[in-house]
């Protein structure tokens, strides 16, 4: 007995020592990879030294003798702060992530290989003009200089993975655009969800689940049935961005005022794109100066060109149009190698992809393509062919000739609105609303991008591919797309709301999301009662009143519980004005209530299988409570009883988490943002060490967007929001306001890993004037 006890103690001591050694090894790995704040380094191909000043938050001011030297310096800086993030991006888009991290990357790799994104980037690169190719090549030289100088010490993740980063190529920068286009267009998944629901619901009920166009004579295509098991497996094989979050998971705000609406009479523009709140963030702040070039704002690590900001003459920002640029086609098989077309049987175009998997055997993927696009049924892990049919997808982003890189390159150099619009014409995918203001006071919103012209149908549901009845017959020309320039109201606003009327000649989409944020921005602009300045626009970006809650709550309050905690919670909501404050209980009660109510409706209609239902929250619930009471039951007024039960269920769940007193609950305690690390969030036990957790106000429908995770182990978590905020005064662009979160650096030991998060939460900002306010370090990059 004593011997066993002695050995157990020795084993415990040995385990503690092993853990200590591992911790020391990790700490050393992190320490030796930490970039110094001051540095001198060489980059091949520089024409002259480049001077870089870092401010107290790690934001660089770059001064170069030429534009190409500036692009090279940016490549070096992005690699210094974000190389692992850049590597994960390009590998994910190219279908080579599994070679770095193992089988966890296969889901994304298989999909990227199916789409052939890397080959399409190589094709597009060959068609770019020489000046844009030179910029991409200079940027790649800068990235590779950092990799050559540091090797496996280029970022801590490489030491921990025992992997040396591969050289950067020009096509890797183009892959960023492919990845963003894929992330910002998700209609394919919606169509598949509708097809799956057609096995349990009639078409008219499916149409009610989504916000929908009400124009008369909307064409509806009849689709053949497929085995629900196959559809389920295809959906499960697709990558998910923002799982369990309400959609649209990508959203943004942008508005501009000018003339009498502005204090100076010149233009003002505000923009905050909403993306997943992660570490590191998608953006990297910088000011870049070279002869004929001044850029300030948010760059995307992996790309040399400024994505969001100003160039001293023009300021711009983006919001997502949510146009439908993907269609699922149901192809009729002749045999495993042929499918039916209007001209008879045709062989699939086929290729085999071999995906290298770290710590595992290579995975072979047979890819088939039809005239409409790649066969997504080939993602089905069960071998064999679904009897009679397969699913293929057409995507505008897969068409050749994507010149988005040229568009951004030229936008960076635009001197006025006209030149900015000339650049915007070249944007192919994704289609976005581009808000522009120039220093002469002009404002406009352009909607460039490829929009398919369909022979028939509205793109909302999978359609037959064998008869040509729903073929894409081209893309709408730029001149036919929406364009809003110099409005007589001196104001433009967009928050992903509907931008065209029913009779607009180019069909953009069936699904227009609610205008809740748009209405609130307009109300705040109207309420100011004076011309606006940068401060008043920045204040609107922080607004936390939910117009969705204001619309829903009077109707929800008809569901009155019998008594107890639920009745006390009901009384609190009856006095609430829809302000989603972090220090109040009402936002938590309301959000838990709509969650429980939505689940009750979904389970009654089609059981726990709710792939489609997760996409609809406020818009669908508002429909149910105004004219869709049949979702609650067969009785004429069944919704109050369902609402009362849902509130009781929600309150019971909250009481188990936060105690028995509803008045003591706090939205911020549940609605926290974590900024999870790109890699370490998946490592059990250490993920929280590398995140940045903060209580937050707002929800998915407030101007200060804070998208709520409705499921999983952390319900009500804030998972989507303003990844960047910018406000530009065209009368004084050097006073423009910027903020990102959580920080500039992706290195966990850097002082700039999370130091911008408190400023972001408080609604603060930094300026990128010609000189930094404080100096945190200096870097000289010299010719090799």
């Amino acid at each position: 007995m004593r011997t066993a006890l002695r050995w157990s103690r020795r084993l415990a001591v040995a385990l503690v020592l092993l853990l200590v050694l591992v911790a020391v090894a990790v700490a050393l790995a992190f320490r030796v990879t930490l970039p110094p704040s001051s540095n001198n380094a060489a980059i091949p191909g520089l024409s002259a030294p480049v001077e870089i000043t870092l401010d107290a938050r790690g934001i660089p001011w770059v001064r170069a003798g030429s534009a190409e030297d500036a692009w090279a310096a940016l490549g070096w800086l992005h690699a210094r702060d974000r190389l692992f993030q850049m590597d994960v991006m390009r590998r994910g888009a190219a279908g080579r992530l599994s070679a770095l991290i193992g089988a966890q990357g296969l889901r994304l790799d298989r999909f990227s290989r199916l789409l052939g994104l890397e080959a399409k980037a190589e094709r597009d690169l060959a068609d770019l003009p020489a000046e844009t190719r030179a910029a991409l090549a200079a940027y790649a030289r800068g990235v590779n200089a950092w990799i050559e100088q540091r090797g496996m010490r280029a970022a801590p993740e490489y030491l921990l993975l025992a992997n040396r980063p591969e050289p950067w190529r020009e096509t890797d920068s183009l892959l960023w655009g492919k990845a963003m286009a894929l992330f910002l267009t998700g209609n394919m998944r919606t169509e598949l969800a509708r097809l799956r629901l057609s096995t349990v619901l009639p078409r008219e009920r499916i149409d009610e689940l989504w916000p929908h166009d009400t124009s008369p004579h909307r064409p509806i295509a009849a689709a053949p049935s497929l085995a629900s098991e196959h559809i389920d497996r295809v959906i499960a094989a697709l990558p998910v961005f923002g799982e369990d979050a309400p959609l649209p998971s990508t959203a943004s705000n942008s508005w501009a005022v000018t003339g009498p609406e502005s204090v100076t009479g010149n233009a003002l523009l505000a923009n905050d794109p909403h993306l997943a709140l992660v570490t590191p963030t998608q953006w990297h702040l910088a000011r870049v100066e070279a002869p004929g070039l001044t850029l300030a704002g948010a760059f995307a690590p992996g790309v040399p060109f400024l994505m969001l900001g100003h160039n001293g003459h023009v300021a711009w920002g983006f919001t997502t149009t949510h146009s439908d640029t993907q269609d699922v086609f149901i192809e009729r098989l002749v045999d495993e190698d042929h499918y039916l077309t209007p001209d008879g049987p045709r062989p699939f175009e086929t290729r085999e992809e071999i995906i290298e998997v770290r710590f595992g055997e290579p995975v072979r993927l047979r890819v088939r393509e039809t005239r409409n696009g790649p066969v997504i049924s080939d993602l089905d892990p069960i071998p064999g062919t679904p009897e009679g049919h397969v699913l293929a997808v057409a995507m505008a982003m897969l068409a050749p000739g994507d010149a988005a890189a040229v568009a951004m390159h030229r936008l960076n150099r635009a001197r006025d609105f006209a030149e900015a619009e000339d650049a915007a014409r070249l944007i192919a995918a994704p289609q976005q609303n581009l808000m522009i203001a120039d220093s002469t006071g002009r404002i406009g919103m352009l909607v460039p991008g490829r929009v398919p012209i369909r022979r028939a149908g509205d793109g909302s549901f999978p359609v037959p591919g064998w008869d040509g009845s729903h073929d894409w017959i081209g893309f709408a020309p730029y001149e036919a797309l929406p364009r809003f320039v110099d409005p007589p109201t001196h104001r433009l606003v967009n928050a992903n709301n509907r931008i065209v009327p029913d009779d607009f000649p180019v069909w953009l989409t069936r699904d227009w999301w609610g205008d809740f944020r748009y209405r609130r921005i307009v109300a705040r602009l109207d309420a100011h009662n004076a011309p606006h300045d940068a401060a008043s626009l920045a204040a609107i970006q922080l607004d936390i009143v939910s117009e969705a809650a204001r619309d829903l709550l009077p109707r929800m309050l008809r569901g009155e519980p019998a008594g107890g905690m639920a009745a006390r919670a009901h009384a609190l909501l009856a006095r609430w004005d829809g302000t989603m404050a972090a220090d109040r209980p009402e936002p938590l009660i309301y959000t838990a209530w709509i969650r429980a109510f939505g689940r009750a409706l979904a389970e009654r209609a089609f059981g726990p299988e709710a792939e489609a239902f997760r996409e609809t929250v406020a818009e669908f619930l508002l429909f149910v409570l105004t004219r869709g009471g049949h979702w609650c039951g067969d009785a004429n007024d069944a919704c109050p009883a369902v609402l009362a039960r849902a509130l009781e269920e929600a309150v019971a769940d909250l009481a188990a988490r936060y105690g028995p007193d509803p008045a003591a609950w706090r939205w911020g305690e549940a609605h926290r943002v974590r900024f999870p690390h790109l890699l370490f969030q998946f490592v059990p036990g250490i993920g929280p060490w590398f995140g940045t957790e903060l209580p937050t106000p707002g929800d998915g429908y407030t101007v200060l967007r804070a998208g709520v995770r409705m499921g999983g182990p952390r319900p009500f978590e804030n998972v989507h929001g303003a990844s960047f905020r910018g406000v530009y005064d065209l009368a004084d662009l050097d006073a423009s306001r910027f903020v990102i979160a959580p920080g500039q650096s992706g290195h966990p030991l850097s002082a700039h890993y999370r130091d911008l998060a408190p400023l972001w939460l408080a609604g603060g900002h930094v300026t990128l004037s010609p000189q930094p306010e404080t100096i945190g370090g200096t870097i000289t990059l010299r010719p090799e």
Side-chain angles (χ1 to χ4, degrees), residues 55-58 742-747 749-756:
D55 78 350
R57 293 185 172 91
Q744 281 280 99
S745 175
H747 197 294
L749 290 189
S750 170
H752 310 304
Y753 183 70
R754 54 170 66 94
D755 60 333
L756 284 168

Side-chain angles (χ1 to χ4, degrees), residues 343-405:
D343 301 319
R346 181 184 297 186
F348 291 101
E349 293 182 18
T350 62
R351 68 179 188 275
E352 184 178 66
E353 297 281 350
I354 299 176
I355 305 173
E356 298 295 330
V357 181
R358 194 173 192 187
F359 315 118
E361 294 297 319
V363 172
R364 296 180 181 273
L365 175 66
R366 183 192 183 212
V367 177
R368 294 176 293 177
E369 290 202 25
T370 73
R371 65 192 185 93
N372 292 309
V375 176
I376 55 176
S377 288
D378 289 340
L379 293 172
D380 188 341
I382 295 181
T385 302
E387 185 177 352
H389 300 92
V390 291
L391 299 166
V393 64
M395 294 184 176
M397 62 168 286
L398 300 181
D402 186 347

Side-chain angles (χ1 to χ4, degrees), residues 26 71 115 134 226 297 381 404 440 467 481 490 492 506-507 517 573 628 634 664:
V26 171
W71 307 134
L115 300 181
L226 269 75
T440 70
D467 61 4
L481 297 175
H490 306 288
L492 285 168
V506 175
W507 182 267
R517 283 179 287 115
L573 291 178
D634 298 330

Side-chain angles (χ1 to χ4, degrees), residues 284-449:
H284 188 271
L285 297 179
R287 182 180 177 107
V288 177
E289 294 184 357
L293 188 70
T294 297
L295 300 172
F299 293 81
V303 182
F305 310 123
L306 181 67
M307 292 293 149
L308 304 164
H310 74 80
N311 64 11
H313 305 275
V314 177
W316 64 89
F318 289 95
T319 60
T320 299
T321 314
H322 288 297
S323 52
D324 182 355
T325 58
Q326 299 177 352
D327 275 353
V328 175
F329 286 86
I330 302 174
E331 306 285 11
R332 180 171 290 171
L333 294 174
V334 176
D335 55 42
E336 188 173 334
D337 298 316
H338 297 79
Y339 66 101
L340 192 63
T341 75
D343 301 319
R346 181 184 297 186
F348 291 101
E349 293 182 18
T350 62
R351 68 179 188 275
E352 184 178 66
E353 297 281 350
I354 299 176
I355 305 173
E356 298 295 330
V357 181
R358 194 173 192 187
F359 315 118
E361 294 297 319
V363 172
R364 296 180 181 273
L365 175 66
R366 183 192 183 212
V367 177
R368 294 176 293 177
E369 290 202 25
T370 73
R371 65 192 185 93
N372 292 309
V375 176
I376 55 176
S377 288
D378 289 340
L379 293 172
D380 188 341
I382 295 181
T385 302
E387 185 177 352
H389 300 92
V390 291
L391 299 166
V393 64
M395 294 184 176
M397 62 168 286
L398 300 181
D402 186 347
V406 186
M408 294 311 300
H409 191 190
R410 294 181 182 175
L411 181 60
N412 280 195
R413 292 179 171 275
R415 290 295 184 263
D416 55 30
F417 187 93
E419 290 187 6
E421 182 167 16
D422 285 343
R425 290 171 180 267
L426 299 173
I427 295 175
Q431 185 178 45
Q432 296 276 282
N433 307 316
L434 172 58
M435 195 82 73
I436 300 173
D438 74 6
S439 54
T440 70
R442 297 194 69 190
I443 62 173
M445 190 178 81
L446 312 175
V447 193

Side-chain angles (χ1 to χ4, degrees), residues 253 272 274 517 520-521 540-541 543 701-705:
N253 302 318
D272 51 296
H274 307 155
R517 283 179 287 115
R520 186 61 187 168
I521 293 167
I540 296 174
Q541 290 180 326
D543 189 272
Y701 303 98
T702 53
V703 179
L704 190 151
R705 190 170 191 273

Side-chain angles (χ1 to χ4, degrees), residues 626-648:
T626 52
R627 59 188 188 278
H630 48 269
W631 281 87
C632 294
D634 298 330
N636 289 334
D637 197 16
C639 285
V642 178
L643 282 163
R645 289 194 299 272
L647 180 57
E648 290 167 354

Side-chain angles (χ1 to χ4, degrees), residues 3 11 71 156 162 197 252 350 434 467 495 511 535 616 643 732:
T3 301
L11 181 60
W71 307 134
L197 287 174
S252 307
T350 62
L434 172 58
D467 61 4
D511 300 328
T616 61
L643 282 163
D732 183 11

Side-chain angles (χ1 to χ4, degrees), residues 33 44 49 67 101 111 145 167 199 271 286 300 370 388 435 446-447 453 472-473 481 546 548 601 633 635 685 740 745:
T33 58
I101 67 171
F111 188 56
T199 64
N271 177 226
T370 73
M435 195 82 73
L446 312 175
V447 193
I453 300 173
W472 289 9
I473 55 176
L481 297 175
S546 173
L601 299 179
I740 60 173
S745 175

